[in-house]
Amino acid sequence: MPNMVDPMLATLTSPEVVLIGSWLIEPKYDGERIIAVRSGDEISLWTRRNIQASYKFPEIIKALKDNIDGDDWILDGEMTVAGGFRQLLNRNVEDRFRISLLSRKNPATYNIFDIIHHEKDLLNLPIIERKGILMKVVHPNTNIAIVPFHEVEKIEEEFLYYIKQGFEGVVIKNSYSKYEPGRRSDQWLKIKKGDTVDVNIIGATKSTGSIPFGALLMEKDGKYFGKVGTGFSDQDRVDILKLLIENQEPLKIKVPPKVESEILVTSKPLLAEIKMQEMIKRSPRAPVWVRFRWND
């Protein structure tokens, strides 16, 4: 019987990255990461944060039952709907009647890019072999697709090609990489498009581990603008925390109570630049640290 596994994560990089050896490239979809598990007659869908999402996608459950060989497997993929991530958010409801209506009005597609269990554990097989198994046991239909892939040659050209095709970016995977549950690995790399936006950094939150801080607090136009917690090197974190401590002053804007309880240090506003995918309800989606804007 297969158990739920935490998804393997890719490390963010740039189109100028230099690769050694054999690597595969595939498009990055604008959706939600989903692990699908079948054990006997039961199929379950799990988000990256281990939340059950099966009831939200009845059309996918049926498609998986009818179009995947075997009754003992674990798949990894991206759930999408027409219109992108904003439309996918509409499926985040509890009402069964509304879910049924949405599944017919704007059905989802499960875009599968990996198989990590099929009658036996496949975690230690190279991804090129797992892809071969995937293509044998998955029979695509209107609700299930296999993510296309091929050996990468010119990274920057192919990245721009996929962006023009409307994808969010690309993921590049070492052809011989094993599946490492829950780990952000340098054997999987992602390159994403993103818009930049100017913000003020006004503090940092506590870290739950050994790093100097968890995330930076952002302010824009006099209002709280969320947190940015990725894009830093280890040395960046050390230097930034030192800078915030040197510029300490009390917060002058309101932040959510949960955020307030996490605060490590607050600072006078320091102009910075972040990358983001888009704005969702006045907050940046997937913000990534770029730099302080000292000379602007």
Side-chain angles (χ1 to χ4, degrees):
M1 177 185 297
N3 296 314
M4 165 61 189
V5 299
D6 292 324
M8 180 174 172
L9 304 175
T11 298
L12 187 67
T13 189
S14 72
E16 293 79 31
V17 65
V18 177
L19 303 175
I20 298 174
S22 174
W23 292 71
L24 307 176
I25 189 169
E26 57 193 43
K28 189 176 189 311
Y29 290 74
D30 186 20
E32 181 175 20
R33 186 79 173 271
I34 292 288
I35 298 288
V37 181
R38 179 165 188 172
S39 180
D41 290 332
E42 183 178 346
I43 294 178
S44 54
L45 305 177
W46 297 88
T47 71
R48 180 176 157 185
R49 292 173 176 79
N50 286 345
I51 298 172
Q52 261 267 25
S54 310
Y55 69 94
K56 297 180 183 178
F57 301 99
E59 73 275 34
I60 300 300
I61 296 294
K62 183 179 187 309
L64 289 171
K65 189 167 288 188
D66 295 342
N67 295 280
I68 311 295
D69 293 345
D71 59 4
D72 182 37
W73 43 253
I74 303 178
L75 305 171
D76 193 354
E78 194 87 0
M79 194 74 74
T80 60
V81 299
F85 187 77
R86 288 172 184 249
Q87 292 300 317
L88 185 63
L89 288 176
N90 292 333
R91 299 297 291 269
N92 191 26
V93 295
E94 303 292 331
D95 183 85
R96 303 291 172 136
F97 176 75
R98 181 161 173 73
I99 288 169
S100 176
L101 185 66
L102 288 169
S103 70
R104 296 192 300 272
K105 182 180 178 182
N106 194 9
T109 301
Y110 186 42
N111 304 279
I112 307 168
F113 53 73
D114 214 333
I115 183 166
I116 48 186
H117 187 102
H118 191 266
E119 312 302 335
K120 64 179 181 179
D121 185 357
L122 306 177
L123 293 172
N124 290 321
L125 285 183
I127 191 171
I128 193 67
E129 293 185 32
R130 299 198 306 272
K131 295 270 194 189
I133 296 170
L134 181 69
M135 296 176 75
K136 288 179 181 177
V137 305
V138 173
H139 307 286
N141 74 348
T142 54
N143 296 114
I144 294 177
I146 296 176
V147 175
F149 67 95
H150 61 268
E151 191 164 4
V152 64
E153 296 179 359
K154 298 179 179 179
I155 298 171
E156 193 160 6
E157 286 184 17
E158 297 199 40
F159 169 67
L160 293 174
Y161 167 79
Y162 280 117
I163 293 298
K164 288 178 182 177
Q165 296 300 307
F167 290 101
E168 189 183 49
V170 295
V171 182
I172 307 168
K173 301 175 179 178
N174 188 312
S175 299
Y176 300 99
S177 57
K178 300 175 182 180
Y179 196 97
E180 304 174 77
R183 182 165 181 259
R184 189 173 297 280
S185 172
D186 59 5
Q187 297 300 291
W188 287 15
L189 304 173
K190 60 184 177 183
I191 305 172
K192 298 163 62 175
K193 68 177 181 181
D195 297 322
T196 61
V197 62
D198 290 344
V199 299
N200 284 315
I201 300 304
I202 54 172
T205 63
K206 301 169 188 174
S207 165
T208 57
S210 59
I211 55 177
F213 62 86
L216 296 180
L217 304 175
M218 298 183 290
E219 174 253 26
K220 186 171 177 61
D221 301 325
K223 296 180 180 178
Y224 177 66
F225 197 62
K227 298 183 286 186
V228 56
T230 61
F232 311 102
S233 69
D234 291 343
Q235 189 60 48
D236 285 340
R237 289 183 181 274
V238 172
D239 294 341
I240 290 171
L241 182 58
K242 181 181 177 184
L243 179 68
L244 295 178
I245 291 172
E246 289 172 353
N247 289 276
Q248 281 188 83
E249 70 173 32
L251 277 184
K252 295 178 180 175
I253 64 168
K254 285 186 69 173
V255 299
K258 185 178 185 306
V259 173
E260 192 171 15
S261 69
E262 297 174 341
I263 288 176
L264 172 67
V265 62
T266 59
S267 163
K268 73 178 186 183
L270 301 170
L271 185 62
E273 182 181 5
I274 62 166
K275 283 199 300 187
M276 66 175 186
Q277 292 179 19
E278 59 180 335
M279 291 292 291
I280 299 286
K281 297 180 179 178
R282 301 180 188 174
S283 295
R285 179 184 168 211
V288 177
W289 174 257
V290 177
R291 61 178 178 129
F292 282 115
R293 297 190 57 176
W294 303 125
N295 300 319
D296 298 354

